[in-house]
Amino acid sequence: MEQLTDEQLISQVRQGNMDAFTVLVDRHKNGVFQFIRCRVEVRETAEDLAQEVFLKLYRHLPDFRGDARFSSWLYSLTLNTVRDHLRMKKRRPVTTVLEALKGWFTDSREEPEAEAVRSEERHTVIGVLAGLPLKYREVLYLYHYRQMAVSEIAPLLQIPEKTAETRLYRGKQLLKERWLEVDKREDSASQRHAARAVPEAKADS
């Protein structure tokens, strides 16, 4: 059943096959959770909201008409759920940059921004991304990690397509600039550490 497309699974669910719904949830739960973490810094809250999304998904699955990709429809449902939550409860300030996005990269696949992202640098990259404004990091996430087209991102975020393109371009530029800043600081720190580690030459007796 794992080989079935989303649309085929939905057809099975509509016929009462709950195993198909389980497969559908398993397929998308990580992506939905990570997207929620873009906007909600508390992990437990994000987990609760993800569960709420899939409850809504089951109730509203008959409303899916197939006009857009299922993933786009699902992320629209997710975004509306998060916005409802944030309207009801004032957000707490983000305490650390790592806490804000530590749930983003749970997949074992190679990261798309290969020129900047290496496996041993993952935590640094999470910190850099966390420091970007929300409007940039959510577009970067959807485009690179959920592989959504700009034409899908724009209606999901309720912004013009040109605005989505601009945010994607500017987000990439900011990511590169801040990555270079971090890289430069780490090089300087490494050089200072190496200098301190060199023992002073002993005076000749």
Side-chain angles (χ1 to χ4, degrees):
M1 188 170 290
E2 286 78 7
Q3 291 76 28
L4 297 179
T5 65
D6 289 342
E7 288 72 20
Q8 290 171 328
L9 288 170
I10 291 169
S11 178
Q12 292 282 327
V13 176
R14 286 171 173 169
Q15 296 173 31
N17 187 342
M18 290 305 298
D19 289 338
F21 184 72
T22 299
V23 173
L24 198 64
V25 171
D26 288 342
R27 182 176 294 175
H28 292 283
K29 63 184 181 182
N30 285 338
V32 166
F33 174 74
Q34 291 163 13
F35 183 54
I36 293 172
R37 285 301 302 273
C38 290
R39 289 173 167 266
V40 176
E41 70 271 15
V42 181
R43 184 181 183 88
E44 290 75 13
T45 301
E47 290 172 347
D48 290 343
L49 288 172
Q51 291 182 5
E52 184 178 342
V53 166
F54 286 108
L55 287 173
K56 288 182 177 179
L57 172 64
Y58 183 74
R59 291 198 300 267
H60 295 288
L61 207 52
D63 299 334
F64 177 66
R65 296 177 299 179
D67 298 335
R69 283 200 305 169
F70 171 73
S71 58
S72 298
W73 185 79
L74 175 60
Y75 280 97
S76 179
L77 179 67
T78 303
L79 184 58
N80 288 335
T81 301
V82 173
R83 283 174 172 168
D84 287 344
H85 166 75
L86 295 178
R87 277 195 295 265
M88 292 173 60
K89 183 177 182 180
K90 185 177 180 180
R91 293 183 69 184
R92 299 175 186 172
V94 178
T95 55
T96 65
V97 291
L98 292 180
E99 280 297 318
L101 292 177
K102 69 180 181 181
W104 270 30
F105 305 109
T106 57
D107 292 341
S108 59
R109 297 172 297 176
E110 182 180 352
E111 310 297 348
E113 296 286 338
E115 70 277 7
V117 182
R118 299 175 181 88
S119 59
E120 69 273 15
E121 298 163 339
R122 174 169 297 193
H123 291 295
T124 302
V125 175
I126 291 175
V128 173
L129 281 169
L132 297 181
L134 173 62
K135 64 181 181 180
Y136 297 130
R137 77 172 180 258
E138 64 183 359
V139 172
L140 284 169
Y141 173 78
L142 292 171
Y143 184 82
H144 287 295
Y145 299 98
R146 302 319 307 169
Q147 299 173 353
M148 295 177 68
V150 171
S151 59
E152 297 173 304
I153 295 172
L156 172 61
L157 299 180
Q158 300 176 359
I159 57 177
E161 191 167 322
K162 187 65 177 176
T163 300
E165 291 177 351
T166 301
R167 289 182 184 181
L168 180 61
Y169 174 79
R170 182 57 180 151
K172 287 181 178 180
Q173 293 300 310
L174 283 173
L175 181 63
K176 181 179 179 180
E177 290 169 10
R178 298 192 182 185
W179 174 264
L180 291 174
E181 290 173 4
V182 171
D183 201 37
K184 200 174 296 183
R185 287 199 301 269
E186 289 182 348
D187 282 346
S188 298
S190 179
Q191 290 170 9
R192 289 195 301 271
H193 179 75
R196 288 196 299 268
V198 176
E200 296 181 0
K202 293 183 178 179
D204 293 335
S205 54

